[in-house]
Amino acid sequence: MPGKKGGYGLVYQEIMRNCCLSVDAKAIYAYLSSIAGFGNKCYPSMDTITHEMGITHARARKYINELVSNGIVEKERCQSGNIKGGNIYKLTHEVETETVKDLHNIAEKVEIQSTTDASTTDASTTDVSTTDASTTDASTTDASTTDASSVRRIDHQTTNNNNTNNNSITNNRKNNMVNGEYSKAFEEFWKAYPRKIGKGEAYKKYKARLNDGWSKAELLEAAKNYAGRVARERTEQKYIKHAKTFLSENTPFTDFLPKGKEAGQILSEDCDNPYAEWGQ
């Protein structure tokens, strides 16, 4: 069209019309697709994404992680030798949330069981039909009983499948918890942190930062780095931050992460990156 500038990309209805995805995740998906064009890769820095989308780093990271966790985007860090660069985003244009997977698994199990029971019922009906005419009424009664039993078996199997699925989800949650109260990742963070006060409040802040888009590895790294500085400087206990303060909304823990990690800028031009200038 005259007067129009800039390229364009493809977005898929399967993703844009999926009710399980947040509107922010869909917006970032559309943004990355527009940069990738007819390809499936793009290389914008975090600074570029936040500037052009008008959002914070934490918010961008949170919804990019949502796309990654649902398989829509694959993220890898560009690296040349020992020098780490920015992120490469590969778009799969496919989505399958855990809820959809669970429903598909239940439907497949019920369908298989229903087919098996139906075959058994047909075989029983055939045997009944070859019985003497004098036992026709009794055979009909037996066939009706067989059908009713088959229905009960199907209903019972469906219930068992649902219970098994729910138990599986519950067990997965329990495997990620310690004593039913704290996650294993937080316990590892708490073990590394130099001051053990206010564990419950610290856990609330820990989960809040995860929801903001910070990863478990980043929070653990910050705790270890802070503990290292406390040990080197022999800081008195009363001057060591409480964990809930360390993980507060002001994100003081970022002082103990490598510089430039949040920005995600591309540090090397050896990655064959056609969009490298965007990170400037």
Side-chain angles (χ1 to χ4, degrees):
M1 296 176 63
K4 300 293 183 181
K5 296 183 179 180
Y8 56 89
L10 297 174
V11 295
Y12 284 64
Q13 289 189 29
E14 179 184 4
I15 296 171
M16 299 304 293
R17 301 179 69 175
N18 191 303
C19 298
C20 296
L21 297 173
S22 66
V23 65
D24 301 84
K26 293 177 181 178
I28 292 179
Y29 161 69
Y31 171 81
L32 295 176
S33 296
S34 70
I35 298 174
F38 282 105
N40 64 346
K41 290 184 178 180
C42 57
Y43 314 85
S45 70
M46 187 63 72
D47 280 344
T48 300
I49 294 173
T50 54
H51 173 71
E52 296 185 346
M53 294 290 290
I55 57 179
T56 63
H57 281 75
R59 188 175 179 186
R61 186 183 295 105
K62 176 179 180 180
Y63 293 108
I64 288 175
N65 287 343
E66 181 181 341
L67 294 173
V68 172
S69 65
N70 283 288
I72 302 168
V73 172
E74 296 177 355
K75 182 175 68 173
E76 60 183 55
R77 185 175 287 275
C78 182
Q79 183 168 348
S80 177
N82 294 327
I83 302 177
K84 291 185 178 181
N87 291 322
I88 300 175
Y89 301 100
K90 179 181 178 181
L91 288 83
T92 66
H93 299 294
E94 296 179 356
V95 58
E96 187 168 10
T97 61
E98 291 302 320
T99 302
V100 174
K101 290 179 181 177
D102 291 340
L103 292 176
H104 285 174
N105 290 336
I106 293 172
E108 289 176 0
K109 291 179 180 178
V110 172
E111 183 178 357
I112 292 172
Q113 184 61 36
S114 298
T115 302
T116 302
D117 289 340
S119 299
T120 303
T121 303
D122 290 341
S124 301
T125 304
T126 301
D127 292 339
V128 169
S129 63
T130 60
T131 308
D132 294 340
S134 60
T135 59
T136 299
D137 293 338
S139 300
T140 303
T141 303
D142 291 340
S144 300
T145 304
T146 300
D147 291 339
S149 299
S150 299
V151 172
R152 284 196 296 272
R153 284 200 299 274
I154 295 172
D155 290 341
H156 180 66
Q157 183 62 34
T158 303
T159 302
N160 287 340
N161 287 336
N162 290 334
N163 290 337
T164 301
N165 183 64
N166 291 335
N167 290 337
S168 176
I169 295 173
T170 301
N171 290 334
N172 288 337
R173 290 174 178 171
K174 287 182 178 178
N175 289 336
N176 290 326
M177 303 294 287
V178 176
N179 298 326
E181 186 173 2
Y182 304 111
S183 68
K184 291 183 179 180
F186 175 74
E187 288 289 0
E188 189 176 359
F189 168 89
W190 188 252
K191 182 178 179 181
Y193 196 72
R195 191 174 188 183
K196 307 292 191 292
I197 295 178
K199 189 174 184 179
E201 291 297 322
Y203 186 47
K204 292 179 182 179
K205 298 294 183 181
Y206 181 86
K207 292 190 293 184
R209 299 295 77 79
L210 292 180
N211 290 335
D212 287 342
W214 295 97
S215 70
K216 299 171 184 176
E218 288 172 324
L219 297 180
L220 178 60
E221 180 182 5
K224 289 181 176 179
N225 290 339
Y226 183 46
R229 193 182 82 169
V230 166
R232 288 192 303 272
E233 298 180 357
R234 298 181 179 179
T235 306
E236 294 183 37
Q237 276 288 316
K238 63 182 179 180
Y239 295 120
I240 300 175
K241 292 183 177 68
H242 288 201
K244 68 175 183 180
T245 303
F246 186 76
L247 295 170
S248 65
E249 291 79 0
N250 296 326
T251 64
F253 61 86
T254 56
D255 293 338
F256 300 93
L257 291 173
K259 291 184 178 179
K261 188 164 185 178
E262 180 179 357
Q265 294 180 345
I266 296 175
L267 304 178
S268 171
E269 296 181 357
D270 298 331
C271 300
D272 192 21
N273 178 4
Y275 300 98
E277 69 275 11
W278 287 36
Q280 302 298 325

